[in-house]
Amino acid sequence: QVQLVESGGGLMQAGGSLRLSCATSERAFDNYAMGWFRQAPGKEREFVAAINWSGDSTLYGDSVKGRATISRHDVKNTVYLNLNSLKPEDTAVYSCAARRGAKAAIDPHEYDCWGQGTQVTVSP
């Protein structure tokens, strides 16, 4: 089981930027595609971004497209999510997930392991 630990959440201001990190000690990290999802209170889990195992293919959810960048650093076994032009509606618990295999995916059911999540709150 891959252990994933998110960090970088907190209270942000609208219009600002955030960088979330998801670290793992998994040595075979580069065998996994990685994704970020978020869930706001009372709402369903929403796909944010995903990156394939090699880092050369990415997917983004419609609500963050143009504002988000997902990247990975395989030496550090870490995946990052940068999100700019923050909006109050970006407020949610952000979780990273790992998927065995090469391809990124938008369906959360295709992911095998999940982190605990980090709270992001964007004030107006």
PDB file of all heavy atoms in Angstrom, residues 46-61:
ATOM      1  N   GLU A  46     -14.514  15.769  -6.573  1.00  0.00           N
ATOM      2  CA  GLU A  46     -14.317  16.356  -7.896  1.00  0.00           C
ATOM      3  C   GLU A  46     -12.889  16.142  -8.365  1.00  0.00           C
ATOM      4  O   GLU A  46     -11.927  16.333  -7.609  1.00  0.00           O
ATOM      5  CB  GLU A  46     -14.607  17.863  -7.825  1.00  0.00           C
ATOM      6  CG  GLU A  46     -14.403  18.615  -9.118  1.00  0.00           C
ATOM      7  CD  GLU A  46     -14.511  20.122  -8.952  1.00  0.00           C
ATOM      8  OE1 GLU A  46     -14.552  20.605  -7.800  1.00  0.00           O
ATOM      9  OE2 GLU A  46     -14.556  20.822  -9.981  1.00  0.00           O
ATOM     10  N   PHE A  47     -12.754  15.754  -9.612  1.00  0.00           N
ATOM     11  CA  PHE A  47     -11.435  15.596 -10.213  1.00  0.00           C
ATOM     12  C   PHE A  47     -10.797  16.959 -10.422  1.00  0.00           C
ATOM     13  O   PHE A  47     -11.436  17.881 -10.927  1.00  0.00           O
ATOM     14  CB  PHE A  47     -11.552  14.861 -11.547  1.00  0.00           C
ATOM     15  CG  PHE A  47     -10.287  14.880 -12.353  1.00  0.00           C
ATOM     16  CD1 PHE A  47      -9.201  14.120 -11.971  1.00  0.00           C
ATOM     17  CD2 PHE A  47     -10.188  15.659 -13.499  1.00  0.00           C
ATOM     18  CE1 PHE A  47      -8.025  14.136 -12.709  1.00  0.00           C
ATOM     19  CE2 PHE A  47      -9.025  15.680 -14.258  1.00  0.00           C
ATOM     20  CZ  PHE A  47      -7.941  14.913 -13.851  1.00  0.00           C
ATOM     21  N   VAL A  48      -9.521  17.075 -10.054  1.00  0.00           N
ATOM     22  CA  VAL A  48      -8.799  18.330 -10.233  1.00  0.00           C
ATOM     23  C   VAL A  48      -7.736  18.191 -11.326  1.00  0.00           C
ATOM     24  O   VAL A  48      -7.719  18.949 -12.292  1.00  0.00           O
ATOM     25  CB  VAL A  48      -8.148  18.780  -8.912  1.00  0.00           C
ATOM     26  CG1 VAL A  48      -7.343  20.062  -9.125  1.00  0.00           C
ATOM     27  CG2 VAL A  48      -9.205  18.979  -7.837  1.00  0.00           C
ATOM     28  N   ALA A  49      -6.844  17.225 -11.158  1.00  0.00           N
ATOM     29  CA  ALA A  49      -5.741  17.090 -12.118  1.00  0.00           C
ATOM     30  C   ALA A  49      -5.125  15.706 -11.972  1.00  0.00           C
ATOM     31  O   ALA A  49      -5.244  15.071 -10.921  1.00  0.00           O
ATOM     32  CB  ALA A  49      -4.685  18.156 -11.880  1.00  0.00           C
ATOM     33  N   ALA A  50      -4.465  15.263 -13.024  1.00  0.00           N
ATOM     34  CA  ALA A  50      -3.770  13.982 -12.986  1.00  0.00           C
ATOM     35  C   ALA A  50      -2.563  14.043 -13.911  1.00  0.00           C
ATOM     36  O   ALA A  50      -2.543  14.819 -14.873  1.00  0.00           O
ATOM     37  CB  ALA A  50      -4.704  12.848 -13.384  1.00  0.00           C
ATOM     38  N   ILE A  51      -1.595  13.196 -13.610  1.00  0.00           N
ATOM     39  CA  ILE A  51      -0.374  13.151 -14.406  1.00  0.00           C
ATOM     40  C   ILE A  51       0.035  11.699 -14.575  1.00  0.00           C
ATOM     41  O   ILE A  51      -0.112  10.891 -13.661  1.00  0.00           O
ATOM     42  CB  ILE A  51       0.735  13.984 -13.712  1.00  0.00           C
ATOM     43  CG1 ILE A  51       1.956  14.146 -14.607  1.00  0.00           C
ATOM     44  CG2 ILE A  51       1.114  13.394 -12.355  1.00  0.00           C
ATOM     45  CD1 ILE A  51       2.925  15.220 -14.107  1.00  0.00           C
ATOM     46  N   ASN A  52       0.539  11.369 -15.756  1.00  0.00           N
ATOM     47  CA  ASN A  52       0.916   9.988 -15.994  1.00  0.00           C
ATOM     48  C   ASN A  52       2.253   9.672 -15.344  1.00  0.00           C
ATOM     49  O   ASN A  52       2.905  10.528 -14.742  1.00  0.00           O
ATOM     50  CB  ASN A  52       0.910   9.685 -17.496  1.00  0.00           C
ATOM     51  CG  ASN A  52       2.054  10.370 -18.233  1.00  0.00           C
ATOM     52  OD1 ASN A  52       2.611  11.352 -17.757  1.00  0.00           O
ATOM     53  ND2 ASN A  52       2.403   9.849 -19.391  1.00  0.00           N
ATOM     54  N   TRP A  53       2.669   8.413 -15.491  1.00  0.00           N
ATOM     55  CA  TRP A  53       3.855   7.972 -14.772  1.00  0.00           C
ATOM     56  C   TRP A  53       5.116   8.697 -15.204  1.00  0.00           C
ATOM     57  O   TRP A  53       6.022   8.909 -14.424  1.00  0.00           O
ATOM     58  CB  TRP A  53       4.037   6.464 -14.960  1.00  0.00           C
ATOM     59  CG  TRP A  53       4.409   6.095 -16.366  1.00  0.00           C
ATOM     60  CD1 TRP A  53       3.569   5.978 -17.442  1.00  0.00           C
ATOM     61  CD2 TRP A  53       5.721   5.825 -16.864  1.00  0.00           C
ATOM     62  NE1 TRP A  53       4.271   5.653 -18.567  1.00  0.00           N
ATOM     63  CE2 TRP A  53       5.585   5.556 -18.256  1.00  0.00           C
ATOM     64  CE3 TRP A  53       6.978   5.783 -16.273  1.00  0.00           C
ATOM     65  CZ2 TRP A  53       6.683   5.245 -19.047  1.00  0.00           C
ATOM     66  CZ3 TRP A  53       8.068   5.468 -17.066  1.00  0.00           C
ATOM     67  CH2 TRP A  53       7.905   5.207 -18.440  1.00  0.00           C
ATOM     68  N   SER A  54       5.185   9.091 -16.462  1.00  0.00           N
ATOM     69  CA  SER A  54       6.402   9.723 -16.965  1.00  0.00           C
ATOM     70  C   SER A  54       6.362  11.238 -16.883  1.00  0.00           C
ATOM     71  O   SER A  54       7.364  11.897 -17.133  1.00  0.00           O
ATOM     72  CB  SER A  54       6.655   9.288 -18.403  1.00  0.00           C
ATOM     73  OG  SER A  54       5.576   9.675 -19.226  1.00  0.00           O
ATOM     74  N   GLY A  55       5.197  11.778 -16.548  1.00  0.00           N
ATOM     75  CA  GLY A  55       5.091  13.219 -16.390  1.00  0.00           C
ATOM     76  C   GLY A  55       4.864  13.992 -17.663  1.00  0.00           C
ATOM     77  O   GLY A  55       4.849  15.227 -17.636  1.00  0.00           O
ATOM     78  N   ASP A  56       4.645  13.318 -18.770  1.00  0.00           N
ATOM     79  CA  ASP A  56       4.494  14.044 -20.028  1.00  0.00           C
ATOM     80  C   ASP A  56       3.059  14.097 -20.528  1.00  0.00           C
ATOM     81  O   ASP A  56       2.796  14.549 -21.642  1.00  0.00           O
ATOM     82  CB  ASP A  56       5.403  13.445 -21.115  1.00  0.00           C
ATOM     83  CG  ASP A  56       5.093  11.986 -21.396  1.00  0.00           C
ATOM     84  OD1 ASP A  56       4.184  11.422 -20.757  1.00  0.00           O
ATOM     85  OD2 ASP A  56       5.784  11.387 -22.241  1.00  0.00           O
ATOM     86  N   SER A  57       2.149  13.648 -19.690  1.00  0.00           N
ATOM     87  CA  SER A  57       0.732  13.722 -20.048  1.00  0.00           C
ATOM     88  C   SER A  57      -0.056  14.121 -18.815  1.00  0.00           C
ATOM     89  O   SER A  57       0.087  13.516 -17.752  1.00  0.00           O
ATOM     90  CB  SER A  57       0.234  12.372 -20.571  1.00  0.00           C
ATOM     91  OG  SER A  57      -1.146  12.423 -20.861  1.00  0.00           O
ATOM     92  N   THR A  58      -0.867  15.161 -18.955  1.00  0.00           N
ATOM     93  CA  THR A  58      -1.641  15.660 -17.827  1.00  0.00           C
ATOM     94  C   THR A  58      -3.104  15.837 -18.214  1.00  0.00           C
ATOM     95  O   THR A  58      -3.437  16.012 -19.398  1.00  0.00           O
ATOM     96  CB  THR A  58      -1.099  17.007 -17.324  1.00  0.00           C
ATOM     97  OG1 THR A  58      -1.073  17.942 -18.410  1.00  0.00           O
ATOM     98  CG2 THR A  58       0.304  16.859 -16.765  1.00  0.00           C
ATOM     99  N   LEU A  59      -3.954  15.787 -17.224  1.00  0.00           N
ATOM    100  CA  LEU A  59      -5.381  16.020 -17.387  1.00  0.00           C
ATOM    101  C   LEU A  59      -5.821  17.021 -16.329  1.00  0.00           C
ATOM    102  O   LEU A  59      -5.279  17.015 -15.217  1.00  0.00           O
ATOM    103  CB  LEU A  59      -6.173  14.715 -17.209  1.00  0.00           C
ATOM    104  CG  LEU A  59      -5.855  13.558 -18.149  1.00  0.00           C
ATOM    105  CD1 LEU A  59      -6.559  12.291 -17.674  1.00  0.00           C
ATOM    106  CD2 LEU A  59      -6.282  13.903 -19.568  1.00  0.00           C
ATOM    107  N   TYR A  60      -6.812  17.841 -16.667  1.00  0.00           N
ATOM    108  CA  TYR A  60      -7.311  18.838 -15.718  1.00  0.00           C
ATOM    109  C   TYR A  60      -8.831  18.865 -15.726  1.00  0.00           C
ATOM    110  O   TYR A  60      -9.468  18.697 -16.777  1.00  0.00           O
ATOM    111  CB  TYR A  60      -6.773  20.230 -16.061  1.00  0.00           C
ATOM    112  CG  TYR A  60      -5.282  20.338 -15.892  1.00  0.00           C
ATOM    113  CD1 TYR A  60      -4.429  20.201 -16.978  1.00  0.00           C
ATOM    114  CD2 TYR A  60      -4.732  20.537 -14.633  1.00  0.00           C
ATOM    115  CE1 TYR A  60      -3.052  20.263 -16.822  1.00  0.00           C
ATOM    116  CE2 TYR A  60      -3.351  20.610 -14.462  1.00  0.00           C
ATOM    117  CZ  TYR A  60      -2.522  20.460 -15.569  1.00  0.00           C
ATOM    118  OH  TYR A  60      -1.162  20.519 -15.395  1.00  0.00           O
ATOM    119  N   GLY A  61      -9.384  19.111 -14.550  1.00  0.00           N
ATOM    120  CA  GLY A  61     -10.815  19.285 -14.460  1.00  0.00           C
ATOM    121  C   GLY A  61     -11.231  20.631 -15.029  1.00  0.00           C
ATOM    122  O   GLY A  61     -10.452  21.583 -15.032  1.00  0.00           O
TER     123      GLY A  61
END
